[in-house]
Amino acid sequence: MALSLIAEIMGWADDSQSEATREYAWLRLMSTVKYDSYSDFRAGIRFVESLATWLKQFEPEDREVAFRFIRERLVYISVAEMQCLIEAFVPEILTPNLRQIVGQDLGIPAYDVWATKKGAETFRKRLRKTLFVGMSDGSRIDVLRRANSGRLSQEQVVPILNVDFDKWRDLAENLEGDQGMQPGEKFDSVYLIDDFTASGTTFIRNVGGKWKGKLKKFNDIIVNAKNELKEQFPIVDNFDLHIHHYISSAQAKKNLNDRLKAAEAWEQRTYGSWAISEGLLLPTTLPVSPATDGAMINLCTKYYDNQLFERLRKHCEENGQTTMAFGYADCALPIVLEHNTPNNSIPLLWADTDGKGGAHPMRSLFHRRDRHG
Amino acid sequence: MRDHWSNCITHFDERVDVFVKEHFSDPKTRCLLIAGAGFDPRARRVAEKLAAAMGPRLHALFLREERGDPAANLTTEADTNEQELLSLVPNGVVQQIQIFAEDGAPVAGQRLSDTLARFEWPEELTDVVLDMSALSLGIAFPAARFCLEHCERDDNLNFHLMIASNPELDARILGEPSPQVINVRGFAGINVEYASKPVARIWLPHLAHGSAAKLQKIRASHNDVYKICPLLPFPARNPRRADELLTEFLTQLTDEWDFDSRDLIYVSERNPLDSYRTISTLKERYDRTVDGIFEPQIILSPLGSKVMAAGAMMAAIEHNLLVQYVETLRYDFDHMGNGHEHHADMTVHVWLHGPIYASYKQQEPAPEPEAV
């Protein structure tokens, strides 16, 4: 029934050799493999039903462009794909970084670290002295812990940014008491882990000369905890900071680099060296652009309700934006994550508005749970 | 013996260049490079890096795969590559390998084994590098197994895999499949013909652009497959590549293979250790599941990216898995790439064996007590 609904909306002829048959097969496969598991879908109204609602908002002559966009441009990161990115973090990002650091400590090439007992033991200790902090629900620290059971200690992983003083004391006690560690031993590296960055803005930004974002918040937490706990605080001064996103856009990577360089001037900076990594770097060609997506760009503006901008006016203006037709920070991404759709993606994918004042009421395909209202 | 394999030393892209300069510039190193000398534009990438760092300390065995009726332009390009390789590595020799016998039977593995057995290995080698970039699966896999066994007999001899990978370019090289499904030489898996228990097969086809006909032949050669778990590239340079392959294989997946959508396996297009780890985990779990009731058999068909195939090869060696493929009668190469933009090669280095792993076990943390 749902597939017939799509055929009716799209105007596909209903015979066995038709376009409809091919598209039905594709819709069935992709719904099952990927789209039906979107976190906002519910029994009875999953991908195909949501697609019907979404397509109906467009005038008939625009529906083919919208459907082709989903078929050929949408990047949907499924649960299984996200799991791959989480599982790859320790072997593919952390381990080579640690080998590099241990190699520098011992004055040997990184690839020689496991050649001697001394190198291997230094590696093991350095691994234990690395702290992992989840920056949001999307960092999926539970999955990261499970994937590295036996490799990472439960006592070196913190699922939330807001760590209280008791937790800091616990972390210190457990580290000092671990195999081969000495009293007063401290963490020397910290990994801040998050799921996705498209603009880098949420992580670090400067608004009117004032620094904001998750990194500033983390730095403030460290400053306060150090002041309170003194020698009991379990992280060394000028620790190595690593910022890892499971997925990053090329634009965000550049912005993060630029802003972290600027933030080196912070008076109360707690970290020393810093590095940025990601599990999947989205290509620079991914954003919707006039050169490759002219017809879809037209739909983004034709069916745009400026209420989106009004709802986020403060954030948008901080960012120098005058419209939300192409998403936050004008990122124009065609990306959907299984647990939510980033507001940096084109709003036609995620926005629901009521069309006040004669505007077009936008209907989402993948409804976004928005922190900003 | 190979505890380190799930965590091998790897380098990627510009880090490979740094590694080559650091390790191979040492005047104590003497290296044998084994590589393809065919038409593939990637044939010279690794040799260029090694030759620049090593000069006369580099030796090479270049394998030229000969198929019955090659396209004239590809023969010319292979001739050019061969000449360039020999000028890069004056201590190099070229050996032709006939992929098919006169009666049309695929004999690549046998001919490769004969070639390697006859080859006079240079003395006092410190390193062996197998460059899989321009070698077909039927040659690269047996060559890897031969070299690994040779190197593992000596604790001080290093064995490396190197690959110049380019999935977009792979998609432009199309091959006409031969009629026969064959086991890769040295990768026949355990013999289940006389197993005392019924055999439960899992087939892991790598979905790759243009390989549907080959995979169809392999699927048709088995009438009893318990599960099909297609392998797809993710993460990938093109984040839609897995979706595009699902679309290309729509008919097989929805109508012909009796496939469960929960059984898709995603492995990295960039890091071969990801497919090694994933296939190894599947093998260990599957063995436990059917233990005592069925004889487990995992069949690999790594027809796609060389990087994913290298990981599958490691898993096949480690767990003695069956690797099946269909040989290519004739290649065609779309030089223009249908107007698509140029994508740079990605380079991968995997250090499979050597003294660098002597204390690998020491770095493993003690297991934590189970939570109550």
Side-chain angles (χ1 to χ4, degrees):
Chain A
M1 196 278 286
L3 294 170
S4 301
L5 186 63
I6 299 286
E8 182 67 30
I9 292 166
M10 293 298 298
W12 293 333
D14 189 20
D15 72 62
S16 61
Q17 297 303 310
S18 73
E19 187 179 15
T21 308
R22 286 196 307 276
E23 301 299 1
Y24 285 171
W26 182 84
L27 283 166
R28 274 203 196 95
L29 177 70
M30 296 305 286
S31 300
T32 315
V33 168
K34 304 195 102 178
Y35 306 142
D36 274 354
S37 63
Y38 187 64
S39 65
D40 197 68
F41 291 159
R42 294 290 178 269
I45 308 293
R46 293 200 181 272
F47 176 68
V48 173
E49 293 80 8
S50 301
L51 181 65
T53 310
W54 186 69
L55 288 170
K56 272 196 291 184
Q57 74 180 312
F58 303 116
E59 289 169 21
E61 64 272 22
D62 292 332
R63 290 175 187 168
E64 179 65 15
V65 171
F67 183 79
R68 285 291 132 206
F69 178 79
I70 300 303
R71 189 88 152 72
E72 291 159 15
R73 287 285 273 136
L74 178 68
V75 173
Y76 181 98
I77 307 293
S78 67
V79 177
E81 289 170 327
M82 188 58 94
Q83 178 95 18
C84 289
L85 297 174
I86 299 170
E87 288 177 353
F89 166 66
V90 168
E92 296 185 16
I93 303 292
L94 174 67
T95 304
N97 282 352
L98 275 181
R99 277 200 305 256
Q100 202 69 39
I101 290 166
V102 173
Q104 281 163 9
D105 286 352
L106 300 178
I108 55 174
Y111 54 76
D112 263 341
V113 159
W114 293 327
T116 62
K117 283 185 180 176
K118 186 182 178 189
E121 178 59 14
T122 309
F123 181 92
R124 193 191 66 74
K125 284 184 73 174
R126 198 79 201 217
L127 173 61
R128 181 61 183 85
K129 287 163 61 171
T130 301
L131 182 70
F132 304 91
V133 181
M135 303 301 277
S136 71
D137 291 349
S139 57
R140 301 305 306 269
I141 290 293
D142 54 335
V143 181
L144 182 71
R145 275 179 161 162
R146 214 173 304 134
N148 294 288
S149 169
R151 199 171 342 176
L152 302 184
S153 163
Q154 297 284 335
E155 302 302 334
Q156 65 184 126
V157 183
V158 180
I160 50 166
L161 183 54
N162 293 313
V163 185
D164 63 27
F165 297 147
D166 283 344
K167 182 63 183 170
W168 285 123
R169 287 191 190 95
D170 277 355
L171 291 168
E173 244 173 58
N174 279 294
L175 178 61
E176 289 173 3
D178 218 327
Q179 186 194 350
M181 299 295 175
Q182 308 292 324
E185 204 94 55
K186 291 176 188 284
F187 291 102
D188 42 32
S189 297
V190 176
Y191 275 81
L192 303 183
I193 297 174
D194 217 340
D195 57 345
F196 179 72
T197 179
S199 65
T201 311
T202 313
F203 210 87
I204 180 170
R205 61 188 182 277
N206 189 313
V207 182
K210 197 174 171 192
W211 287 97
K212 293 184 174 183
K214 291 179 181 181
L215 180 61
K216 180 67 170 60
K217 194 174 173 188
F218 177 72
N219 198 66
D220 290 347
I221 288 169
I222 299 284
V223 169
N224 291 338
K226 277 173 76 171
N227 289 340
E228 172 71 20
L229 298 171
K230 308 280 191 298
E231 275 311 300
Q232 280 184 299
F233 183 68
I235 307 178
V236 297
D237 292 341
N238 297 315
F239 60 89
D240 293 338
L241 176 71
H242 299 263
I243 295 161
H244 181 75
H245 289 89
Y246 297 131
I247 303 169
S248 171
S249 72
Q251 179 185 344
K253 182 155 190 169
K254 183 185 178 308
N255 285 344
L256 280 174
N257 258 308
D258 292 346
R259 290 172 194 170
L260 278 157
K261 271 182 201 150
E264 285 177 355
W266 285 0
E267 277 183 18
Q268 287 196 302
R269 183 159 67 101
T270 56
Y271 55 90
S273 70
W274 53 269
I276 295 166
S277 57
E278 64 288 313
L280 171 66
L281 184 64
L282 299 172
T284 51
T285 51
L286 187 63
V288 174
S289 78
T292 52
D293 308 280
M296 191 62 191
I297 295 261
N298 290 341
L299 297 199
C300 286
T301 48
K302 181 176 175 182
Y303 295 94
Y304 168 64
D305 180 352
N306 198 49
Q307 208 182 107
L308 289 181
F309 178 80
E310 295 302 333
R311 274 162 38 182
L312 289 172
R313 176 179 281 276
K314 182 166 163 267
H315 295 279
C316 289
E317 286 180 345
E318 277 183 6
N319 215 24
Q321 275 183 264
T322 54
T323 173
M324 270 289 284
F326 301 104
Y328 188 62
D330 292 324
C331 288
L333 289 171
I335 192 165
V336 172
L337 311 183
E338 44 84 19
H339 65 280
N340 204 1
T341 304
N343 64 2
N344 313 87
S345 287
I346 54 167
L348 264 190
L349 288 171
W350 53 265
D352 280 294
T353 68
D354 51 19
K356 276 183 193 155
H360 169 76
M362 297 172 80
R363 296 287 170 256
S364 65
L365 176 53
F366 297 99
H367 177 74
R368 170 180 161 76
R369 292 173 188 272
D370 201 331
R371 288 185 301 117
H372 305 292
Chain B
M1 186 168 62
R2 299 176 189 130
D3 296 317
H4 59 277
W5 267 22
S6 60
N7 227 350
C8 274
I9 302 285
T10 49
H11 296 97
F12 302 96
D13 303 327
E14 63 272 13
R15 291 274 181 97
V16 177
D17 298 333
V18 174
F19 163 72
V20 167
K21 279 184 194 144
E22 198 172 326
H23 177 73
F24 288 101
S25 295
D26 184 338
K28 290 197 284 289
T29 54
R30 276 170 64 84
C31 177
L32 171 66
L33 167 67
I34 298 176
F39 68 89
D40 194 305
R42 293 161 291 193
R44 301 199 302 256
R45 301 282 186 272
V46 170
E48 282 165 352
K49 293 179 199 298
L50 291 172
M54 300 194 76
R57 290 179 289 108
L58 178 65
H59 298 255
L61 170 61
F62 297 116
L63 303 170
R64 176 127 179 206
E65 300 181 21
E66 298 290 354
R67 289 172 169 79
D69 178 27
N73 62 328
L74 298 188
T75 303
T76 309
E77 283 163 33
D79 290 342
T80 307
N81 272 340
E82 183 181 317
Q83 288 311 309
E84 293 283 342
L85 285 165
L86 286 174
S87 8
L88 279 168
V89 190
N91 291 329
V93 291
V94 176
Q95 292 284 329
Q96 292 192 338
I97 308 268
Q98 297 297 330
I99 303 300
F100 295 98
E102 283 183 5
D103 63 359
V107 291
Q110 177 63 51
R111 298 285 164 89
L112 182 272
S113 296
D114 295 345
T115 301
L116 289 178
R118 280 199 310 270
F119 180 66
E120 208 166 301
W121 288 54
E123 290 180 356
E124 297 176 350
L125 283 181
T126 58
D127 294 79
V128 176
V129 173
L130 175 66
D131 171 13
M132 293 174 65
S133 317
L135 290 173
S136 67
L137 183 155
I139 295 292
F141 275 41
R145 180 151 216 154
F146 188 100
C147 293
L148 181 71
E149 286 169 1
H150 180 88
C151 295
E152 283 184 339
R153 287 195 283 271
D154 180 345
D155 287 344
N156 291 312
L157 187 53
N158 295 299
F159 179 43
H160 314 257
L161 293 181
M162 288 199 189
I163 304 165
S165 162
N166 191 326
E168 290 79 10
L169 192 144
D170 284 337
R172 287 158 42 201
I173 299 175
L174 296 174
E176 181 187 335
S178 84
Q180 269 177 278
V181 173
I182 52 176
N183 299 344
V184 177
R185 187 175 174 84
F187 292 81
I190 54 162
N191 187 349
V192 294
E193 202 175 336
Y194 303 107
S196 54
K197 296 185 276 291
V199 177
R201 293 190 173 85
I202 294 187
W203 180 42
L204 273 59
H206 286 199
L207 303 193
H209 176 63
S211 69
K214 289 183 175 182
L215 291 177
Q216 279 294 82
K217 283 180 193 290
I218 299 170
R219 174 68 190 94
S221 67
H222 298 284
N223 53 13
D224 54 343
V225 175
Y226 164 63
K227 262 182 191 287
I228 298 177
C229 304
L231 270 82
L232 287 162
F234 184 88
R237 178 152 67 181
N238 170 4
R240 278 189 50 85
R241 195 165 347 264
D243 291 4
E244 287 169 2
L245 287 166
L246 286 170
T247 304
E248 184 173 333
F249 282 82
L250 190 63
T251 308
Q252 288 77 25
L253 293 170
T254 54
D255 299 340
E256 296 168 11
W257 285 359
D258 190 21
F259 134 90
D260 183 330
S261 61
R262 293 168 300 180
D263 288 330
L264 285 177
I265 297 175
Y266 293 94
V267 296
S268 171
E269 169 183 271
R270 176 172 180 260
N271 189 338
L273 300 187
D274 193 32
S275 55
Y276 167 71
R277 286 188 290 257
T278 304
I279 296 167
S280 294
T281 303
L282 171 63
K283 164 70 178 159
E284 285 153 17
R285 290 183 180 179
Y286 187 49
D287 281 0
R288 280 203 300 270
T289 303
V290 303
D291 184 37
I293 299 163
F294 295 109
E295 190 66 54
Q297 187 183 41
I298 291 182
I299 305 168
L300 305 177
S301 296
L303 302 185
S305 136
K306 295 268 168 53
V307 169
M308 289 162 67
M313 180 189 75
M314 290 169 65
I317 290 174
E318 186 69 16
H319 303 288
N320 195 18
L321 305 180
L322 170 60
V323 180
Q324 290 194 318
Y325 80 121
V326 173
E327 194 47 88
T328 302
L329 288 172
R330 185 179 198 275
Y331 284 112
D332 281 310
F333 180 30
D334 172 12
H335 288 79
M336 299 307 291
N338 201 20
H340 292 304
E341 60 187 292
H342 170 75
H343 291 88
D345 293 341
M346 301 183 282
T347 319
V348 181
H349 162 242
V350 186
W351 199 329
L352 280 184
H353 171 76
I356 56 159
Y357 297 114
S359 294
Y360 175 79
K361 286 288 276 181
Q362 304 281 325
Q363 60 86 39
E364 290 182 350
E368 288 201 335
E370 290 283 328
V372 179

